[in-house]
Amino acid sequence: MPTLQRPDGEIHYQTFGAGFPVLLFAPGGLRSRMEMWPAPASGPARPWVDWTQALPAAGFTAVAMDQRNAGASVAAIEADHGWHTYAADHMALMDYLGFEKFHVLGGCIGGSFCLKAAQTAPNRVASAVLQNPIGLHPDHPEYFPDSHAEWTKEQMAARLELNSDALAGFGHNMWDHPFVFCVEQDFVRRCPVPTFLLPGSDIPHPAATSAELAALLPGVEVLKDWRGPDHLDQQRDRVVAFLKANTPAG
């Protein structure tokens, strides 16, 4: 598997197809990794399209990755790390691959990665697809801090060199924020990047968060009924049409 060397670790990635690039951020929270896109052989089927296959078939290059400290990627975890650390990885990967401009498409935590990419490099991100975006659930504000505590236990058990204070600081930077955690409503309200929303409907992907995104994002396209198996074709066709419409000429 190809590897991007970072100053504090390594990021594993794969590319599929040829054409204008789409950087994919897989579902899975802090365990976001490439294997989350295809349905496992033993089932059950995913409710989302496998974009590593659908995008190349539509004439795009799909760039999939294991986020730092997920899947095969391993990197440092410091107290001052946060959403900006992931965004730096994402920009470094596209620099390494030679892609100046690109679309972003993210499921689950990937929706927040998309918004952070749009804030970090709006001149590079041609459009963003937010699939089942995470957010602070009004009735379950403890969900992501609790999930971070479980992830911390996994990391500490696997890597004895890690520091618990650094992991706690990292968790604060990731989750001690409202809304979508990575950016504020003011940025979303003036987001310069065209967006497409596949709304969420459960505790980690609150309907209230998606409704607020739909109300705030300028000109956002929304596909309410998108989950498989009944809506996979429409999900694929609408997202591909959106990406093609926002692909720069030439």
Side-chain angles (χ1 to χ4, degrees), residues 1-2 4 6 10-16 22-27 29 31-37 52 62-73 85-94 97 104-105 113:
M1 186 185 302
L4 169 70
R6 298 289 287 138
E10 60 183 33
I11 304 296
H12 290 254
Y13 71 92
Q14 284 186 281
T15 61
F16 305 83
V22 184
L23 178 57
L24 299 176
F25 306 131
R31 303 172 186 85
S32 169
R33 59 204 185 278
M34 290 180 272
E35 70 181 61
M36 293 300 292
W37 290 119
T52 66
V63 181
M65 63 185 297
D66 292 345
Q67 299 298 330
R68 59 172 44 227
N69 302 308
S73 296
T85 311
Y86 288 99
D89 289 341
H90 304 154
M91 299 305 149
L93 176 57
M94 299 311 272
L97 294 174
V104 290
L105 185 159
F113 288 150

mmCIF file of all heavy atoms in Angstrom, residues 1-2 4 6 10-16 22-27 29 31-37 52 62-73 85-94 97 104-105 113:
data_model
loop_
_atom_site.group_PDB
_atom_site.id
_atom_site.type_symbol
_atom_site.label_atom_id
_atom_site.label_comp_id
_atom_site.label_asym_id
_atom_site.label_seq_id
_atom_site.Cartn_x
_atom_site.Cartn_y
_atom_site.Cartn_z
ATOM 1 N N MET A 1 0.847 -1.195 0.000
ATOM 2 C CA MET A 1 0.000 0.000 0.000
ATOM 3 C C MET A 1 0.879 1.241 0.000
ATOM 4 O O MET A 1 1.825 1.337 0.781
ATOM 5 C CB MET A 1 -0.902 -0.009 1.232
ATOM 6 C CG MET A 1 -1.935 1.110 1.269
ATOM 7 S SD MET A 1 -2.877 1.129 2.824
ATOM 8 C CE MET A 1 -3.566 -0.525 2.810
ATOM 9 N N PRO A 2 0.592 2.226 -0.863
ATOM 10 C CA PRO A 2 1.408 3.445 -0.879
ATOM 11 C C PRO A 2 1.358 4.173 0.460
ATOM 12 O O PRO A 2 0.349 4.122 1.173
ATOM 13 C CB PRO A 2 0.763 4.286 -1.985
ATOM 14 C CG PRO A 2 -0.024 3.334 -2.810
ATOM 15 C CD PRO A 2 -0.458 2.242 -1.886
ATOM 16 N N LEU A 4 2.435 7.900 2.583
ATOM 17 C CA LEU A 4 2.904 9.273 2.666
ATOM 18 C C LEU A 4 3.645 9.436 3.979
ATOM 19 O O LEU A 4 3.077 9.200 5.051
ATOM 20 C CB LEU A 4 1.716 10.244 2.614
ATOM 21 C CG LEU A 4 2.041 11.709 2.954
ATOM 22 C CD1 LEU A 4 2.883 12.346 1.856
ATOM 23 C CD2 LEU A 4 0.759 12.502 3.186
ATOM 24 N N ARG A 6 4.966 11.571 6.899
ATOM 25 C CA ARG A 6 4.723 12.850 7.554
ATOM 26 C C ARG A 6 5.824 13.087 8.594
ATOM 27 O O ARG A 6 6.508 12.144 8.995
ATOM 28 C CB ARG A 6 3.344 12.848 8.223
ATOM 29 C CG ARG A 6 2.190 12.672 7.249
ATOM 30 C CD ARG A 6 2.006 13.919 6.390
ATOM 31 N NE ARG A 6 1.424 15.002 7.179
ATOM 32 C CZ ARG A 6 1.829 16.286 7.107
ATOM 33 N NH1 ARG A 6 2.842 16.620 6.309
ATOM 34 N NH2 ARG A 6 1.240 17.226 7.826
ATOM 35 N N GLU A 10 3.278 8.156 9.432
ATOM 36 C CA GLU A 10 3.022 7.792 8.043
ATOM 37 C C GLU A 10 1.533 7.585 7.822
ATOM 38 O O GLU A 10 0.810 7.106 8.694
ATOM 39 C CB GLU A 10 3.798 6.536 7.650
ATOM 40 C CG GLU A 10 3.479 5.297 8.470
ATOM 41 C CD GLU A 10 4.340 4.111 8.070
ATOM 42 O OE1 GLU A 10 5.507 4.328 7.681
ATOM 43 O OE2 GLU A 10 3.827 2.982 8.139
ATOM 44 N N ILE A 11 1.095 7.980 6.620
ATOM 45 C CA ILE A 11 -0.298 7.884 6.213
ATOM 46 C C ILE A 11 -0.392 6.936 5.025
ATOM 47 O O ILE A 11 0.294 7.115 4.019
ATOM 48 C CB ILE A 11 -0.855 9.265 5.818
ATOM 49 C CG1 ILE A 11 -0.679 10.276 6.953
ATOM 50 C CG2 ILE A 11 -2.313 9.146 5.381
ATOM 51 C CD1 ILE A 11 -1.440 9.959 8.210
ATOM 52 N N HIS A 12 -1.240 5.936 5.150
ATOM 53 C CA HIS A 12 -1.441 4.978 4.065
ATOM 54 C C HIS A 12 -2.642 5.405 3.228
ATOM 55 O O HIS A 12 -3.658 5.861 3.764
ATOM 56 C CB HIS A 12 -1.637 3.576 4.626
ATOM 57 C CG HIS A 12 -0.388 3.004 5.210
ATOM 58 N ND1 HIS A 12 0.353 2.012 4.598
ATOM 59 C CD2 HIS A 12 0.289 3.309 6.345
ATOM 60 C CE1 HIS A 12 1.404 1.720 5.323
ATOM 61 N NE2 HIS A 12 1.396 2.500 6.395
ATOM 62 N N TYR A 13 -2.509 5.243 1.922
ATOM 63 C CA TYR A 13 -3.546 5.694 1.005
ATOM 64 C C TYR A 13 -3.562 4.794 -0.231
ATOM 65 O O TYR A 13 -2.644 3.997 -0.464
ATOM 66 C CB TYR A 13 -3.294 7.154 0.589
ATOM 67 C CG TYR A 13 -2.101 7.304 -0.336
ATOM 68 C CD1 TYR A 13 -2.246 7.273 -1.720
ATOM 69 C CD2 TYR A 13 -0.805 7.428 0.182
ATOM 70 C CE1 TYR A 13 -1.147 7.381 -2.559
ATOM 71 C CE2 TYR A 13 0.289 7.542 -0.644
ATOM 72 C CZ TYR A 13 0.114 7.520 -2.025
ATOM 73 O OH TYR A 13 1.205 7.616 -2.846
ATOM 74 N N GLN A 14 -4.616 4.947 -1.040
ATOM 75 C CA GLN A 14 -4.701 4.294 -2.339
ATOM 76 C C GLN A 14 -5.413 5.228 -3.302
ATOM 77 O O GLN A 14 -6.275 6.023 -2.889
ATOM 78 C CB GLN A 14 -5.479 2.971 -2.261
ATOM 79 C CG GLN A 14 -4.711 1.820 -1.640
ATOM 80 C CD GLN A 14 -5.492 0.520 -1.732
ATOM 81 O OE1 GLN A 14 -6.404 0.282 -0.948
ATOM 82 N NE2 GLN A 14 -5.136 -0.304 -2.687
ATOM 83 N N THR A 15 -5.061 5.139 -4.571
ATOM 84 C CA THR A 15 -5.783 5.883 -5.601
ATOM 85 C C THR A 15 -6.450 4.893 -6.547
ATOM 86 O O THR A 15 -5.941 3.791 -6.786
ATOM 87 C CB THR A 15 -4.850 6.802 -6.394
ATOM 88 O OG1 THR A 15 -3.843 6.019 -7.054
ATOM 89 C CG2 THR A 15 -4.181 7.817 -5.474
ATOM 90 N N PHE A 16 -7.596 5.317 -7.066
ATOM 91 C CA PHE A 16 -8.391 4.478 -7.953
ATOM 92 C C PHE A 16 -8.820 5.323 -9.154
ATOM 93 O O PHE A 16 -9.348 6.425 -8.974
ATOM 94 C CB PHE A 16 -9.647 3.958 -7.248
ATOM 95 C CG PHE A 16 -9.386 3.219 -5.956
ATOM 96 C CD1 PHE A 16 -9.198 3.914 -4.773
ATOM 97 C CD2 PHE A 16 -9.341 1.834 -5.934
ATOM 98 C CE1 PHE A 16 -8.975 3.237 -3.580
ATOM 99 C CE2 PHE A 16 -9.109 1.151 -4.748
ATOM 100 C CZ PHE A 16 -8.927 1.861 -3.567
ATOM 101 N N VAL A 22 -10.969 13.240 -6.314
ATOM 102 C CA VAL A 22 -11.897 13.361 -5.190
ATOM 103 C C VAL A 22 -11.219 12.728 -3.987
ATOM 104 O O VAL A 22 -10.932 11.525 -3.988
ATOM 105 C CB VAL A 22 -13.234 12.657 -5.458
ATOM 106 C CG1 VAL A 22 -14.195 12.904 -4.296
ATOM 107 C CG2 VAL A 22 -13.850 13.122 -6.774
ATOM 108 N N LEU A 23 -10.930 13.525 -2.964
ATOM 109 C CA LEU A 23 -10.314 13.017 -1.738
ATOM 110 C C LEU A 23 -11.417 12.496 -0.828
ATOM 111 O O LEU A 23 -12.338 13.243 -0.460
ATOM 112 C CB LEU A 23 -9.520 14.125 -1.055
ATOM 113 C CG LEU A 23 -8.852 13.776 0.271
ATOM 114 C CD1 LEU A 23 -7.909 12.582 0.136
ATOM 115 C CD2 LEU A 23 -8.095 14.993 0.818
ATOM 116 N N LEU A 24 -11.332 11.218 -0.466
ATOM 117 C CA LEU A 24 -12.369 10.543 0.307
ATOM 118 C C LEU A 24 -11.970 10.453 1.778
ATOM 119 O O LEU A 24 -10.856 10.046 2.104
ATOM 120 C CB LEU A 24 -12.594 9.130 -0.236
ATOM 121 C CG LEU A 24 -13.065 9.016 -1.684
ATOM 122 C CD1 LEU A 24 -13.145 7.541 -2.091
ATOM 123 C CD2 LEU A 24 -14.424 9.690 -1.860
ATOM 124 N N PHE A 25 -12.907 10.802 2.634
ATOM 125 C CA PHE A 25 -12.751 10.634 4.087
ATOM 126 C C PHE A 25 -13.783 9.619 4.547
ATOM 127 O O PHE A 25 -14.986 9.886 4.557
ATOM 128 C CB PHE A 25 -12.971 11.963 4.810
ATOM 129 C CG PHE A 25 -12.109 13.096 4.314
ATOM 130 C CD1 PHE A 25 -12.683 14.321 4.003
ATOM 131 C CD2 PHE A 25 -10.744 12.946 4.165
ATOM 132 C CE1 PHE A 25 -11.902 15.379 3.573
ATOM 133 C CE2 PHE A 25 -9.953 13.992 3.725
ATOM 134 C CZ PHE A 25 -10.533 15.226 3.422
ATOM 135 N N ALA A 26 -13.327 8.444 4.923
ATOM 136 C CA ALA A 26 -14.228 7.333 5.217
ATOM 137 C C ALA A 26 -14.937 7.519 6.554
ATOM 138 O O ALA A 26 -14.467 8.231 7.435
ATOM 139 C CB ALA A 26 -13.444 6.022 5.233
ATOM 140 N N PRO A 27 -16.080 6.841 6.727
ATOM 141 C CA PRO A 27 -16.735 6.804 8.043
ATOM 142 C C PRO A 27 -15.867 6.079 9.079
ATOM 143 O O PRO A 27 -14.854 5.465 8.738
ATOM 144 C CB PRO A 27 -18.024 6.014 7.766
ATOM 145 C CG PRO A 27 -18.213 6.044 6.293
ATOM 146 C CD PRO A 27 -16.839 6.112 5.704
ATOM 147 N N GLY A 29 -15.454 7.532 12.604
ATOM 148 C CA GLY A 29 -14.925 8.364 13.675
ATOM 149 C C GLY A 29 -13.402 8.418 13.612
ATOM 150 O O GLY A 29 -12.819 8.477 12.526
ATOM 151 N N ARG A 31 -11.496 6.143 13.896
ATOM 152 C CA ARG A 31 -11.037 4.914 13.246
ATOM 153 C C ARG A 31 -11.289 4.950 11.736
ATOM 154 O O ARG A 31 -11.314 3.908 11.078
ATOM 155 C CB ARG A 31 -11.732 3.702 13.872
ATOM 156 C CG ARG A 31 -11.527 3.587 15.386
ATOM 157 C CD ARG A 31 -12.387 2.482 15.980
ATOM 158 N NE ARG A 31 -12.313 2.437 17.442
ATOM 159 C CZ ARG A 31 -13.065 3.182 18.255
ATOM 160 N NH1 ARG A 31 -13.956 4.033 17.746
ATOM 161 N NH2 ARG A 31 -12.939 3.086 19.571
ATOM 162 N N SER A 32 -11.471 6.128 11.184
ATOM 163 C CA SER A 32 -11.766 6.312 9.760
ATOM 164 C C SER A 32 -10.665 5.715 8.887
ATOM 165 O O SER A 32 -9.507 6.142 8.943
ATOM 166 C CB SER A 32 -11.904 7.815 9.477
ATOM 167 O OG SER A 32 -11.936 8.078 8.096
ATOM 168 N N ARG A 33 -11.045 4.743 8.072
ATOM 169 C CA ARG A 33 -10.068 4.019 7.259
ATOM 170 C C ARG A 33 -10.717 3.526 5.967
ATOM 171 O O ARG A 33 -11.934 3.393 5.871
ATOM 172 C CB ARG A 33 -9.497 2.830 8.047
ATOM 173 C CG ARG A 33 -10.563 1.843 8.494
ATOM 174 C CD ARG A 33 -10.107 1.048 9.720
ATOM 175 N NE ARG A 33 -11.090 0.011 10.070
ATOM 176 C CZ ARG A 33 -12.206 0.238 10.783
ATOM 177 N NH1 ARG A 33 -12.503 1.463 11.195
ATOM 178 N NH2 ARG A 33 -13.032 -0.747 11.069
ATOM 179 N N MET A 34 -9.874 3.221 4.987
ATOM 180 C CA MET A 34 -10.334 2.888 3.640
ATOM 181 C C MET A 34 -11.311 1.724 3.598
ATOM 182 O O MET A 34 -12.237 1.708 2.793
ATOM 183 C CB MET A 34 -9.127 2.573 2.750
ATOM 184 C CG MET A 34 -8.274 3.758 2.403
ATOM 185 S SD MET A 34 -6.872 3.287 1.355
ATOM 186 C CE MET A 34 -5.653 2.859 2.587
ATOM 187 N N GLU A 35 -11.098 0.736 4.445
ATOM 188 C CA GLU A 35 -11.919 -0.470 4.372
ATOM 189 C C GLU A 35 -13.386 -0.216 4.699
ATOM 190 O O GLU A 35 -14.235 -1.086 4.504
ATOM 191 C CB GLU A 35 -11.376 -1.544 5.314
ATOM 192 C CG GLU A 35 -11.556 -1.233 6.786
ATOM 193 C CD GLU A 35 -10.972 -2.308 7.688
ATOM 194 O OE1 GLU A 35 -9.743 -2.532 7.613
ATOM 195 O OE2 GLU A 35 -11.726 -2.912 8.451
ATOM 196 N N MET A 36 -13.694 0.979 5.194
ATOM 197 C CA MET A 36 -15.083 1.297 5.505
ATOM 198 C C MET A 36 -15.919 1.579 4.268
ATOM 199 O O MET A 36 -17.150 1.571 4.341
ATOM 200 C CB MET A 36 -15.149 2.498 6.452
ATOM 201 C CG MET A 36 -14.587 2.235 7.827
ATOM 202 S SD MET A 36 -15.462 0.901 8.694
ATOM 203 C CE MET A 36 -17.055 1.663 8.957
ATOM 204 N N TRP A 37 -15.307 1.835 3.119
ATOM 205 C CA TRP A 37 -16.104 2.125 1.923
ATOM 206 C C TRP A 37 -16.801 0.898 1.353
ATOM 207 O O TRP A 37 -18.013 0.921 1.162
ATOM 208 C CB TRP A 37 -15.245 2.817 0.863
ATOM 209 C CG TRP A 37 -14.863 4.210 1.229
ATOM 210 C CD1 TRP A 37 -13.603 4.704 1.397
ATOM 211 C CD2 TRP A 37 -15.741 5.307 1.486
ATOM 212 N NE1 TRP A 37 -13.633 6.036 1.738
ATOM 213 C CE2 TRP A 37 -14.939 6.431 1.806
ATOM 214 C CE3 TRP A 37 -17.134 5.461 1.493
ATOM 215 C CZ2 TRP A 37 -15.485 7.688 2.111
ATOM 216 C CZ3 TRP A 37 -17.676 6.703 1.798
ATOM 217 C CH2 TRP A 37 -16.861 7.788 2.104
ATOM 218 N N THR A 52 -14.964 4.372 -3.808
ATOM 219 C CA THR A 52 -13.694 3.980 -4.434
ATOM 220 C C THR A 52 -13.929 3.266 -5.760
ATOM 221 O O THR A 52 -13.016 3.171 -6.585
ATOM 222 C CB THR A 52 -12.862 3.071 -3.510
ATOM 223 O OG1 THR A 52 -13.526 1.818 -3.326
ATOM 224 C CG2 THR A 52 -12.612 3.726 -2.164
ATOM 225 N N ALA A 62 -10.328 8.609 -7.449
ATOM 226 C CA ALA A 62 -10.693 8.536 -6.035
ATOM 227 C C ALA A 62 -9.426 8.335 -5.219
ATOM 228 O O ALA A 62 -8.645 7.418 -5.494
ATOM 229 C CB ALA A 62 -11.670 7.392 -5.787
ATOM 230 N N VAL A 63 -9.221 9.187 -4.233
ATOM 231 C CA VAL A 63 -8.073 9.088 -3.332
ATOM 232 C C VAL A 63 -8.606 8.711 -1.952
ATOM 233 O O VAL A 63 -9.267 9.509 -1.293
ATOM 234 C CB VAL A 63 -7.295 10.415 -3.244
ATOM 235 C CG1 VAL A 63 -6.088 10.265 -2.312
ATOM 236 C CG2 VAL A 63 -6.860 10.888 -4.629
ATOM 237 N N ALA A 64 -8.359 7.476 -1.544
ATOM 238 C CA ALA A 64 -8.818 6.984 -0.241
ATOM 239 C C ALA A 64 -7.633 6.909 0.706
ATOM 240 O O ALA A 64 -6.485 6.739 0.272
ATOM 241 C CB ALA A 64 -9.465 5.614 -0.384
ATOM 242 N N MET A 65 -7.907 7.009 2.018
ATOM 243 C CA MET A 65 -6.813 7.027 2.977
ATOM 244 C C MET A 65 -7.264 6.474 4.315
ATOM 245 O O MET A 65 -8.446 6.510 4.663
ATOM 246 C CB MET A 65 -6.280 8.451 3.155
ATOM 247 C CG MET A 65 -7.298 9.426 3.729
ATOM 248 S SD MET A 65 -6.704 11.159 3.794
ATOM 249 C CE MET A 65 -5.323 11.033 4.916
ATOM 250 N N ASP A 66 -6.302 5.941 5.050
ATOM 251 C CA ASP A 66 -6.474 5.665 6.470
ATOM 252 C C ASP A 66 -6.043 6.927 7.217
ATOM 253 O O ASP A 66 -4.899 7.373 7.074
ATOM 254 C CB ASP A 66 -5.605 4.495 6.925
ATOM 255 C CG ASP A 66 -6.038 3.157 6.354
ATOM 256 O OD1 ASP A 66 -7.159 3.058 5.828
ATOM 257 O OD2 ASP A 66 -5.232 2.195 6.450
ATOM 258 N N GLN A 67 -6.950 7.501 8.012
ATOM 259 C CA GLN A 67 -6.566 8.685 8.776
ATOM 260 C C GLN A 67 -5.470 8.331 9.783
ATOM 261 O O GLN A 67 -5.282 7.166 10.134
ATOM 262 C CB GLN A 67 -7.781 9.248 9.509
ATOM 263 C CG GLN A 67 -8.899 9.694 8.598
ATOM 264 C CD GLN A 67 -8.505 10.819 7.654
ATOM 265 O OE1 GLN A 67 -7.645 11.644 7.982
ATOM 266 N NE2 GLN A 67 -9.135 10.860 6.483
ATOM 267 N N ARG A 68 -4.753 9.327 10.230
ATOM 268 C CA ARG A 68 -3.683 9.079 11.200
ATOM 269 C C ARG A 68 -4.241 8.307 12.397
ATOM 270 O O ARG A 68 -5.315 8.590 12.913
ATOM 271 C CB ARG A 68 -3.007 10.373 11.636
ATOM 272 C CG ARG A 68 -3.909 11.398 12.276
ATOM 273 C CD ARG A 68 -3.118 12.575 12.866
ATOM 274 N NE ARG A 68 -2.080 13.057 11.990
ATOM 275 C CZ ARG A 68 -0.819 13.313 12.393
ATOM 276 N NH1 ARG A 68 -0.476 13.155 13.657
ATOM 277 N NH2 ARG A 68 0.080 13.757 11.547
ATOM 278 N N ASN A 69 -3.494 7.279 12.773
ATOM 279 C CA ASN A 69 -3.838 6.412 13.902
ATOM 280 C C ASN A 69 -5.148 5.658 13.694
ATOM 281 O O ASN A 69 -5.887 5.360 14.638
ATOM 282 C CB ASN A 69 -3.846 7.220 15.205
ATOM 283 C CG ASN A 69 -2.509 7.874 15.442
ATOM 284 O OD1 ASN A 69 -1.469 7.216 15.405
ATOM 285 N ND2 ASN A 69 -2.500 9.196 15.644
ATOM 286 N N ALA A 70 -5.408 5.336 12.420
ATOM 287 C CA ALA A 70 -6.523 4.469 12.049
ATOM 288 C C ALA A 70 -6.052 3.545 10.934
ATOM 289 O O ALA A 70 -5.196 3.923 10.128
ATOM 290 C CB ALA A 70 -7.723 5.279 11.574
ATOM 291 N N GLY A 71 -6.584 2.336 10.889
ATOM 292 C CA GLY A 71 -6.130 1.393 9.873
ATOM 293 C C GLY A 71 -4.635 1.167 9.972
ATOM 294 O O GLY A 71 -4.099 0.893 11.044
ATOM 295 N N ALA A 72 -3.949 1.342 8.835
ATOM 296 C CA ALA A 72 -2.506 1.116 8.803
ATOM 297 C C ALA A 72 -1.689 2.382 9.080
ATOM 298 O O ALA A 72 -0.461 2.317 9.133
ATOM 299 C CB ALA A 72 -2.113 0.532 7.444
ATOM 300 N N SER A 73 -2.342 3.523 9.227
ATOM 301 C CA SER A 73 -1.622 4.782 9.435
ATOM 302 C C SER A 73 -1.285 4.970 10.914
ATOM 303 O O SER A 73 -2.142 4.763 11.782
ATOM 304 C CB SER A 73 -2.459 5.970 8.955
ATOM 305 O OG SER A 73 -2.685 5.908 7.560
ATOM 306 N N THR A 85 -4.630 19.296 12.494
ATOM 307 C CA THR A 85 -3.611 18.275 12.250
ATOM 308 C C THR A 85 -4.053 17.356 11.117
ATOM 309 O O THR A 85 -3.259 17.010 10.229
ATOM 310 C CB THR A 85 -3.364 17.462 13.530
ATOM 311 O OG1 THR A 85 -3.172 18.356 14.625
ATOM 312 C CG2 THR A 85 -2.154 16.560 13.382
ATOM 313 N N TYR A 86 -5.311 16.947 11.153
ATOM 314 C CA TYR A 86 -5.839 16.131 10.063
ATOM 315 C C TYR A 86 -5.818 16.910 8.750
ATOM 316 O O TYR A 86 -5.445 16.368 7.695
ATOM 317 C CB TYR A 86 -7.261 15.681 10.386
ATOM 318 C CG TYR A 86 -7.362 14.627 11.450
ATOM 319 C CD1 TYR A 86 -7.681 14.966 12.759
ATOM 320 C CD2 TYR A 86 -7.147 13.284 11.152
ATOM 321 C CE1 TYR A 86 -7.783 13.994 13.745
ATOM 322 C CE2 TYR A 86 -7.255 12.302 12.128
ATOM 323 C CZ TYR A 86 -7.570 12.668 13.426
ATOM 324 O OH TYR A 86 -7.665 11.693 14.391
ATOM 325 N N ALA A 87 -6.240 18.177 8.798
ATOM 326 C CA ALA A 87 -6.264 18.981 7.574
ATOM 327 C C ALA A 87 -4.863 19.095 6.969
ATOM 328 O O ALA A 87 -4.703 19.059 5.740
ATOM 329 C CB ALA A 87 -6.837 20.366 7.862
ATOM 330 N N ALA A 88 -3.846 19.207 7.815
ATOM 331 C CA ALA A 88 -2.475 19.270 7.300
ATOM 332 C C ALA A 88 -2.096 17.971 6.602
ATOM 333 O O ALA A 88 -1.423 17.993 5.555
ATOM 334 C CB ALA A 88 -1.506 19.579 8.442
ATOM 335 N N ASP A 89 -2.521 16.832 7.150
ATOM 336 C CA ASP A 89 -2.292 15.551 6.478
ATOM 337 C C ASP A 89 -2.958 15.535 5.110
ATOM 338 O O ASP A 89 -2.381 15.070 4.117
ATOM 339 C CB ASP A 89 -2.859 14.394 7.305
ATOM 340 C CG ASP A 89 -2.088 14.098 8.572
ATOM 341 O OD1 ASP A 89 -0.912 14.525 8.686
ATOM 342 O OD2 ASP A 89 -2.659 13.421 9.448
ATOM 343 N N HIS A 90 -4.202 16.009 5.069
ATOM 344 C CA HIS A 90 -4.969 15.957 3.824
ATOM 345 C C HIS A 90 -4.325 16.811 2.740
ATOM 346 O O HIS A 90 -4.194 16.370 1.585
ATOM 347 C CB HIS A 90 -6.402 16.420 4.086
ATOM 348 C CG HIS A 90 -7.094 15.639 5.153
ATOM 349 N ND1 HIS A 90 -8.121 16.153 5.909
ATOM 350 C CD2 HIS A 90 -6.895 14.367 5.606
ATOM 351 C CE1 HIS A 90 -8.531 15.235 6.773
ATOM 352 N NE2 HIS A 90 -7.798 14.153 6.609
ATOM 353 N N MET A 91 -3.911 18.011 3.097
ATOM 354 C CA MET A 91 -3.267 18.875 2.113
ATOM 355 C C MET A 91 -1.915 18.311 1.685
ATOM 356 O O MET A 91 -1.544 18.370 0.508
ATOM 357 C CB MET A 91 -3.112 20.293 2.673
ATOM 358 C CG MET A 91 -4.422 20.966 3.015
ATOM 359 S SD MET A 91 -5.585 21.009 1.616
ATOM 360 C CE MET A 91 -7.142 20.936 2.504
ATOM 361 N N ALA A 92 -1.196 17.731 2.631
ATOM 362 C CA ALA A 92 0.103 17.150 2.298
ATOM 363 C C ALA A 92 -0.052 15.979 1.336
ATOM 364 O O ALA A 92 0.770 15.809 0.422
ATOM 365 C CB ALA A 92 0.816 16.703 3.571
ATOM 366 N N LEU A 93 -1.086 15.167 1.524
ATOM 367 C CA LEU A 93 -1.300 14.040 0.625
ATOM 368 C C LEU A 93 -1.595 14.527 -0.790
ATOM 369 O O LEU A 93 -1.031 14.002 -1.763
ATOM 370 C CB LEU A 93 -2.446 13.171 1.148
ATOM 371 C CG LEU A 93 -2.854 11.993 0.250
ATOM 372 C CD1 LEU A 93 -1.668 11.066 -0.018
ATOM 373 C CD2 LEU A 93 -4.015 11.223 0.883
ATOM 374 N N MET A 94 -2.455 15.536 -0.916
ATOM 375 C CA MET A 94 -2.779 16.019 -2.260
ATOM 376 C C MET A 94 -1.589 16.733 -2.889
ATOM 377 O O MET A 94 -1.384 16.647 -4.111
ATOM 378 C CB MET A 94 -4.014 16.911 -2.207
ATOM 379 C CG MET A 94 -5.263 16.185 -1.680
ATOM 380 S SD MET A 94 -5.574 14.580 -2.480
ATOM 381 C CE MET A 94 -6.558 15.104 -3.880
ATOM 382 N N LEU A 97 0.619 13.952 -4.222
ATOM 383 C CA LEU A 97 0.069 13.346 -5.432
ATOM 384 C C LEU A 97 0.022 14.315 -6.610
ATOM 385 O O LEU A 97 -0.316 13.916 -7.725
ATOM 386 C CB LEU A 97 -1.331 12.797 -5.151
ATOM 387 C CG LEU A 97 -1.386 11.626 -4.159
ATOM 388 C CD1 LEU A 97 -2.834 11.272 -3.840
ATOM 389 C CD2 LEU A 97 -0.648 10.409 -4.701
ATOM 390 N N VAL A 104 -13.823 17.064 -2.226
ATOM 391 C CA VAL A 104 -13.756 16.244 -1.022
ATOM 392 C C VAL A 104 -15.121 15.613 -0.790
ATOM 393 O O VAL A 104 -16.162 16.222 -1.059
ATOM 394 C CB VAL A 104 -13.325 17.056 0.221
ATOM 395 C CG1 VAL A 104 -11.867 17.468 0.108
ATOM 396 C CG2 VAL A 104 -14.204 18.276 0.451
ATOM 397 N N LEU A 105 -15.108 14.376 -0.320
ATOM 398 C CA LEU A 105 -16.335 13.639 -0.004
ATOM 399 C C LEU A 105 -16.072 12.860 1.267
ATOM 400 O O LEU A 105 -15.114 12.091 1.339
ATOM 401 C CB LEU A 105 -16.716 12.701 -1.156
ATOM 402 C CG LEU A 105 -18.039 11.944 -1.059
ATOM 403 C CD1 LEU A 105 -18.495 11.493 -2.460
ATOM 404 C CD2 LEU A 105 -17.981 10.722 -0.131
ATOM 405 N N PHE A 113 -14.247 16.652 8.339
ATOM 406 C CA PHE A 113 -12.987 16.798 7.600
ATOM 407 C C PHE A 113 -13.198 17.649 6.345
ATOM 408 O O PHE A 113 -12.352 18.468 5.981
ATOM 409 C CB PHE A 113 -12.429 15.437 7.213
ATOM 410 C CG PHE A 113 -11.867 14.625 8.352
ATOM 411 C CD1 PHE A 113 -11.903 13.237 8.311
ATOM 412 C CD2 PHE A 113 -11.291 15.227 9.452
ATOM 413 C CE1 PHE A 113 -11.379 12.469 9.346
ATOM 414 C CE2 PHE A 113 -10.765 14.472 10.496
ATOM 415 C CZ PHE A 113 -10.813 13.092 10.437
#
